[in-house]
Amino acid sequence: MSSFVVAEHPSPTAPEARDEILAAPTFGEHFTDHMALAQWSSDRGWHQLEVVAQGPLQLHPSTAALHYGQEIFEGLKAYRHDDGSVWLFRPELNARRFQRSAERLAMPPLAVDDFLASLQTVVDLDRDWVPAPDGEQNLYLRPFMFGTERLIGVRAAKQYTYCVLATPAGAYYSQPLKLWVTPTYSRAAIGGTGAAKCGGNYAASLRAADEAAEHGCGQVLWLDGAEHRWVEECGTMNIMFVTSDGELLTPATSGTILEGVTRDSLLELAAEHGLRRSERPIEFAEVRTRLLDGTITEVFACGTAAVVTPITGFSSPDGDDLTVGDGSVGRVTAELRQHLLDLQYGRVPDTRGWLVKVTG
């Protein structure tokens, strides 16, 4: 039984209007009829766990998160399989990462079971909003938490709100990306919030994305904040390299890189594609050399929204205009991408128990 009490929407979206939205779902444009809410206070702990009609939240202008940035979130998807059933993909990893993010920002952790129950209750209630398994359509889920105490004063808030929204979505990136190696900005520093999924990290990335666009690139490649030498992430995604001797190579997580669910899944799948997983520090000078000599053959970004997005080149202020391979989507990249999608949409056996059934 769900720990969330359900109060169904008194006037949900008409089926005809919902079907029109689902005919061409756009990421973050429309939201389903219900949302999950929970409250935390220092004197009561977690309480008032409920699923209610989706709608505005009322906040006082002194709400703590608006001033001091105590906000974290997650992103995951619900997938409809060909038999009509609906499934989540490794949601327990998102639940545990949500707890780690909360700890880093001095926020109360939400129990894994409650996190999962909030997702399952919303998806089950709004099951008709999950698109058909055509292309890469899915129901994107956005759990988030923020400090809601009325507070002007620098300390951790004593009240928080947790919420889950759901939005039908299609593919996030429809084309391969070229990356701008920013000389100006850094995503994270040792001891900072790089390993947490918090809104401030994303706000700080926006100007760098604009800089990339100014140089004709679709996203930014982040180097480390201390020396600007070591590869970290790609925009809001993890980055991976395929080498000519069969490595699936990615920067090691060291407190400055988000531990992505897609990243972890691809590393687990590597052996099935004849690849050796390798997590270690990677200097951009090494990437440059190995792209030029052909020993890095493919590069891709990965994340929940992006799935697996090919990287076809890099530009940098040093005048580099580096092409990955012949500039086309690599075979291994395409195969890993398809394998992951086939797992998520139930087209191949789930031998690892990664899928969690919600309904159907």
Side-chain angles (χ1 to χ4, degrees), residues 40 51 67 160 284 324 326 328 346 351:
W40 186 93
V51 172
H67 299 271
Y160 296 88
F284 185 69
V324 179
D326 62 3
S328 62
T351 58

Side-chain angles (χ1 to χ4, degrees), residues 179 181 221 223 229-232 239-243 249-251 280-299 311 313-314 320 322-325:
L179 302 185
V181 186
L221 178 70
L223 303 182
R229 292 170 52 197
W230 304 95
V231 174
E232 292 204 329
I239 189 166
M240 291 189 164
F241 304 88
V242 180
T243 70
L249 174 63
T250 194
R280 63 170 174 82
I282 306 167
E283 196 169 0
F284 185 69
E286 176 189 347
V287 174
R288 179 189 293 112
T289 297
R290 298 187 71 179
L291 286 172
L292 292 172
D293 70 17
T295 57
I296 286 180
T297 57
E298 302 178 35
V299 186
I311 305 301
F314 298 84
D320 286 333
L322 301 167
T323 300
V324 179

Side-chain angles (χ1 to χ4, degrees), residues 106-248:
M107 302 169 75
L110 181 69
V112 169
D113 286 348
D114 287 335
F115 182 94
L116 297 178
S118 70
L119 301 175
Q120 291 171 318
T121 306
V122 169
V123 173
D124 187 34
L125 201 57
D126 287 342
R127 67 179 74 91
D128 292 338
W129 282 89
V130 184
D134 301 325
E136 295 175 25
Q137 296 181 163
N138 54 75
L139 187 67
Y140 182 85
L141 304 171
R142 171 51 57 88
F144 63 100
M145 179 176 26
F146 61 101
T148 48
E149 183 186 0
R150 297 181 181 186
L151 173 64
I152 300 294
V154 183
R155 61 165 171 77
K158 295 181 180 180
Q159 296 173 0
Y160 296 88
T161 292
Y162 169 75
C163 184
V164 177
L165 292 174
T167 174
Y172 194 76
Y173 288 112
S174 58
Q175 300 292 331
L177 295 174
K178 186 176 184 180
L179 302 185
W180 170 249
V181 186
T182 177
T184 313
Y185 302 103
S186 299
R187 178 185 173 275
I190 293 173
T193 59
K197 197 168 179 68
C198 59
N201 290 347
Y202 292 76
S205 76
L206 301 177
R207 181 62 193 98
D210 289 344
E211 183 186 67
E214 290 162 6
H215 290 85
C217 296
Q219 257 302 350
V220 62
L221 178 70
W222 299 109
L223 303 182
D224 72 290
E227 299 179 89
H228 249 56
R229 292 170 52 197
W230 304 95
V231 174
E232 292 204 329
E233 291 192 14
C234 157
T236 58
M237 302 164 283
N238 295 124
I239 189 166
M240 291 189 164
F241 304 88
V242 180
T243 70
S244 58
D245 62 350
E247 273 191 324
L248 183 60

